[in-house]
Amino acid sequence: MYNNVKHFINGEWVESTGNETIDVINPATEEKMGTISAGTEEDLDRAVQAARKAFPSFSNTTREERVKLLDRIADEYEKRKDDFIKAITQELGSPVTFTEKTQYEMGLRHFRETAKILRDFEFTEQREGSFIQKDAIGVAGLITPWNFPTNQLSTKLASAIAAGSTVILKPASQTPFAAMLVAEVFEAAGVPKGVFNLVNGSGGKIGNAISSHPDIDFVSFTGSGGVGTKIMENAAQDITKVSLELGGKSPIIVLDDADVKYAAKNAITNIAANTGQVCTAGTRALVPASMHDEFIEAIKELLPEFPVGDPQDKNTFTGPQVSEEQWNTVQDYIQQGIDSGATLVAGGTGKPDGLETGYYSKLTVFTNVNRDDTIAQEEIFGPVLSVITYNDLDEAIEIANDTIYGLAGYVVGENPETLTKAAKGIRAGRITVNDGKADFSAPFGGFGQSGIGREWGDYGIEEFLEPKTILGLPN
């Protein structure tokens, strides 16, 4: 049982000014696994003032000092590997193998990669008639989601520290314990008091307070489009800079020369990994009409290789949804797909056999989906795939871009020319061709309603900086 009803403010674990708490539920057992404080606006204000007080000193540290700090953070993070795996597997329901190889590892990679990039990052530039200096933006409010408890907070925190900004973190209340472990890591690494602060609580109270606080200079949020809109409205009152990483409805374009079994496996992996609770998940498989039947047969053949089950079992590929609320949302979308007349290839409503306890959904595949159907347009955030056919590559690209989102896209095939045309034609922030691997130095973010701004690598550091132009400075 995890019980920590304190916040981390100004380098110390402190009691909340309120007495309300939030229970954290293990989605695999439906039982309470711990309790956190439902923080108050007074708690948040204490954190903001601590960050504001620490900013002048921290923003004037040297690049070398911040590189060493990031290295120490990464070293301490590695020491807590087993603790991170245990907490994330329980609070998110992420299968233990995926937790170790992806959830834990992504957090570590951001700290390591940012330290590497910072070593050569240019904070000044001399032009012919001007001198440009990049200053730390100030106090940043970070609001992170539940689906990747270490990835988003690590990329934001690493970039903020590299830039010399101080922060207040509000992690998702469904998955707070990984973030609290990060606070312990920062404490052990000797992060100066006030540079990092953590306040737990609800999005409605603490999230709103962060995005409307007059002493916060920058808000970085990852989550839903609806909340992102509210954050922009709040931040507009003080013209506060906002960075948003929101949803997606990413396409997988299967080219006519693709290996059908490989393409089908790619598509299933996209919806099965992290139970489909991935903003970049390829949930629309665009398949040549001539290949459709073969593709569907390959899907049916491969599905047993992606077992749904207990996250503690190393053989499990797909765990439960994070909460009963999310399970209900996914079930509603599956029913909408059935009601729309799409053909149910696999899965459907209800829980998989033998998994009556826990928020488990079936891996669900629809075909004969119209491009404007709800399940083809809205982000489901669950293990649901829509298969849509096309006649030529131009039509495939047109369908791929027929969405309000633009976070990611995938292309599977062989011919370099058509792979390039498809990848360049998709209007999205990150395109993966075949088995392309994540590059932690490259920018991450989206087009359209997938967000504003970029994270990861040098682009992530830039978000926490403000450029200053000085004219007439003596050489």
Side-chain angles (χ1 to χ4, degrees):
M1 183 72 72
Y2 292 80
N3 286 298
N4 190 340
V5 292
K6 294 184 177 182
H7 308 295
F8 190 76
I9 298 174
N10 202 31
E12 298 179 351
W13 291 98
V14 299
E15 300 285 350
S16 174
T17 58
N19 53 21
E20 294 185 14
T21 58
I22 298 172
D23 289 339
V24 181
I25 306 300
N26 181 326
T29 65
E30 302 183 34
E31 297 177 350
K32 186 173 87 169
M33 61 165 289
T35 304
I36 59 171
S37 172
T40 67
E41 292 185 11
E42 291 79 11
D43 295 329
L44 174 66
D45 193 60
R46 283 194 296 169
V48 172
Q49 299 315 316
R52 177 63 60 193
K53 183 178 179 181
F55 176 70
S57 174
F58 188 65
S59 62
N60 280 298
T61 53
T62 65
R63 177 213 316 271
E64 290 71 24
E65 288 173 320
R66 297 199 295 277
V67 166
K68 290 178 181 178
L69 180 55
L70 284 168
D71 285 339
R72 293 201 304 272
I73 289 170
D75 291 343
E76 293 296 334
Y77 184 100
E78 284 194 282
K79 293 177 185 177
R80 304 298 297 273
K81 178 178 180 178
D82 291 344
D83 295 328
F84 277 112
I85 293 171
K86 179 181 178 181
I88 295 170
T89 300
Q90 291 185 49
E91 65 184 355
L92 177 60
S94 171
V96 64
T97 302
F98 184 81
T99 301
E100 179 177 3
K101 293 183 178 179
T102 303
Q103 297 278 6
Y104 162 79
E105 189 66 25
M106 290 183 81
L108 177 63
R109 290 285 297 279
H110 283 303
F111 289 122
R112 292 292 189 204
E113 186 65 32
T114 303
K116 177 182 175 183
I117 289 171
L118 181 58
R119 286 176 169 85
D120 299 311
F121 189 89
E122 295 295 338
F123 286 92
T124 61
E125 178 186 350
Q126 181 68 61
R127 296 190 177 182
E128 184 176 350
S130 61
F131 179 80
I132 300 170
Q133 177 174 301
K134 298 176 182 179
D135 290 348
I137 197 166
V139 174
L142 315 180
I143 305 172
T144 55
W146 46 259
N147 61 321
F148 282 90
T150 55
N151 173 49
Q152 279 96 341
L153 67 84
S154 293
T155 185
K156 295 178 195 294
L157 288 170
S159 295
I161 288 171
S165 291
T166 57
V167 303
I168 301 94
L169 170 68
K170 193 213 87 67
S173 57
Q174 296 94 330
T175 57
F177 297 118
M180 298 176 91
L181 282 170
V182 168
E184 293 178 5
V185 164
F186 275 42
E187 189 176 19
V191 175
K193 289 186 176 183
V195 169
F196 168 82
N197 305 273
L198 182 150
V199 178
N200 276 314
S202 69
K205 181 174 287 185
I206 303 303
N208 271 322
I210 285 175
S211 58
S212 58
H213 201 292
D215 288 330
I216 288 180
D217 303 292
F218 173 45
V219 178
S220 179
F221 168 77
T222 301
S224 71
V227 176
T229 298
K230 180 63 176 176
I231 285 172
M232 290 186 73
E233 291 173 354
N234 290 342
Q237 304 308 306
D238 293 301
I239 319 296
T240 301
K241 180 183 175 182
V242 171
S243 175
L244 305 174
E245 196 268 283
L246 307 175
K249 193 68 181 176
S250 303
I252 305 173
I253 296 181
V254 179
L255 299 176
D256 57 12
D257 62 352
D259 179 280
V260 176
K261 192 167 184 178
Y262 172 80
K265 189 169 186 177
N266 186 304
I268 299 170
T269 302
N270 261 273
I271 64 160
N274 213 38
T275 319
Q277 299 168 143
V278 184
C279 54
T280 58
T283 55
R284 294 181 294 144
L286 312 184
V287 181
S290 61
M291 189 186 287
H292 171 268
D293 292 351
E294 189 180 1
F295 181 80
I296 294 301
E297 287 305 311
I299 289 279
K300 292 177 181 177
E301 179 185 340
L302 290 167
L303 276 171
E305 297 181 12
F306 297 81
V308 180
D310 181 0
Q312 302 291 346
D313 186 339
K314 291 185 178 180
N315 294 315
T316 292
F317 194 93
T318 302
Q321 309 288 165
V322 72
S323 66
E324 183 177 17
E325 179 183 7
Q326 186 61 26
W327 186 85
N328 285 328
T329 296
V330 172
Q331 297 303 304
D332 181 62
Y333 274 115
I334 294 173
Q335 188 60 55
Q336 287 186 61
I338 294 170
D339 293 343
S340 74
T343 301
L344 187 64
V345 173
T349 57
K351 297 181 179 181
D353 292 342
L355 294 171
E356 288 74 22
T357 299
Y359 307 124
Y360 295 95
S361 294
K362 300 173 185 176
L363 296 183
T364 298
V365 180
F366 286 101
T367 191
N368 297 321
V369 177
N370 294 317
R371 59 195 281 186
D372 58 352
D373 284 349
T374 298
I375 59 170
Q377 288 292 324
E378 297 184 12
E379 185 178 44
I380 297 172
F381 229 55
V384 182
L385 176 70
S386 295
V387 179
I388 303 170
T389 58
Y390 69 87
N391 294 306
D392 58 44
L393 183 54
D394 288 337
E395 184 185 17
I397 294 171
E398 179 188 336
I399 297 171
N401 293 331
D402 184 15
T403 172
I404 61 173
Y405 298 110
L407 188 58
Y410 303 83
V411 186
V412 181
E414 297 293 336
N415 184 278
E417 184 177 340
T418 50
L419 284 169
T420 301
K421 179 178 178 179
K424 290 185 175 181
I426 299 173
R427 288 186 54 79
R430 186 177 74 169
I431 311 299
T432 302
V433 176
N434 292 325
D435 59 352
K437 305 302 181 185
D439 179 354
F440 285 77
S441 70
F444 180 89
F447 291 20
Q449 292 189 30
S450 285
I452 301 170
R454 293 294 184 268
E455 297 183 324
W456 298 33
D458 56 328
Y459 281 79
I461 297 172
E462 293 279 1
E463 292 288 343
F464 289 84
L465 295 168
E466 291 281 25
K468 174 195 295 180
T469 298
I470 303 176
L471 303 171
L473 188 69
N475 290 328

